[in-house]
Amino acid sequence: MLEIKEKNLDRREWYKDSDRDFTCVYHKDEHFEGGIGLITFTGVARDEVDSPEGRLCIADRGYQWLELAPKDGNYTLTAMFHEGELFQHYVDITLKNEVDPDGDARFYDLFLDVVISQKGIPHTIDTEELDEALASGIVTHEQYDMAVETADEVVAFYKNNFEKLCKKLFEYKRLLETS
């Protein structure tokens, strides 16, 4: 059944039975304000997904996910790392984000996602889920339009700022690894 789901920065709804470390902070700088979390998988069954560029392992022992939930934003970003390499960006388009003072966050997923490959190529996915949610009355026309507009903004941002963003993500990851 399709529904707007509450999700958490530590992704407990997906990996509740896995061994993982999680740390988070509330962070504000000239580029970002909100919750930043780092998940390090220490014991999880290998998780592979179909991506726009083929089958891809997104979680296994030693993988890390850097999670960004901007305050008052309509997206969350998961930057996926393995052996120090940033191999995929996954952006959930959200109805809203709720960020706690300690940086932990919850967000409400609006079905539409943007996946950015290691080479910086963005792909909007799950459009059919958003269409179905609109047809079923799960989302309003206003929420639908906001989701599409936000996804378009994410794609444009990545096309114009991929290298700068990657550099910033590595900085945020180091911030959490040293805190």
Side-chain angles (χ1 to χ4, degrees), residues 31 59 72-73 94-95 98 104 111 120 124 126 135 137 142 151 154 171 178:
H31 303 286
D72 302 323
T94 64
L95 179 61
E98 297 171 347
D104 203 1
F111 311 104
T124 302
D126 298 332
E142 181 179 272
V154 167
E171 288 177 25
T178 58

Side-chain angles (χ1 to χ4, degrees), residues 3 8-9 20 27 49 71 76 85 96-97 150 153:
E3 64 181 322
N8 298 278
L9 202 61
R20 59 201 159 95
H27 184 78
V49 297
K71 175 185 174 191
T76 61
E85 189 173 314
K96 67 178 178 176
N97 299 340
T150 302
E153 289 170 2

Side-chain angles (χ1 to χ4, degrees), residues 70-150:
K71 175 185 174 191
D72 302 323
N74 291 107
Y75 69 89
T76 61
L77 166 62
T78 302
M80 299 175 184
F81 294 84
H82 182 239
E83 296 180 347
E85 189 173 314
L86 177 53
F87 67 90
Q88 179 174 266
H89 308 232
Y90 194 97
V91 180
D92 288 287
I93 306 304
T94 64
L95 179 61
K96 67 178 178 176
N97 299 340
E98 297 171 347
V99 183
D100 297 336
D102 68 356
D104 203 1
R106 287 155 308 292
F107 57 95
Y108 300 85
D109 192 345
L110 272 181
F111 311 104
L112 195 60
D113 303 297
V114 179
V115 178
I116 300 89
S117 73
Q118 190 172 16
K119 295 176 184 173
I121 301 166
H123 303 273
T124 302
I125 63 170
D126 298 332
T127 55
E128 68 285 345
E129 286 183 24
L130 182 62
D131 291 343
E132 184 181 337
L134 178 64
S136 302
I138 296 166
V139 299
T140 66
H141 285 283
E142 181 179 272
Q143 292 167 334
Y144 180 95
D145 291 344
M146 184 270 299
V148 171
E149 182 179 313
T150 302

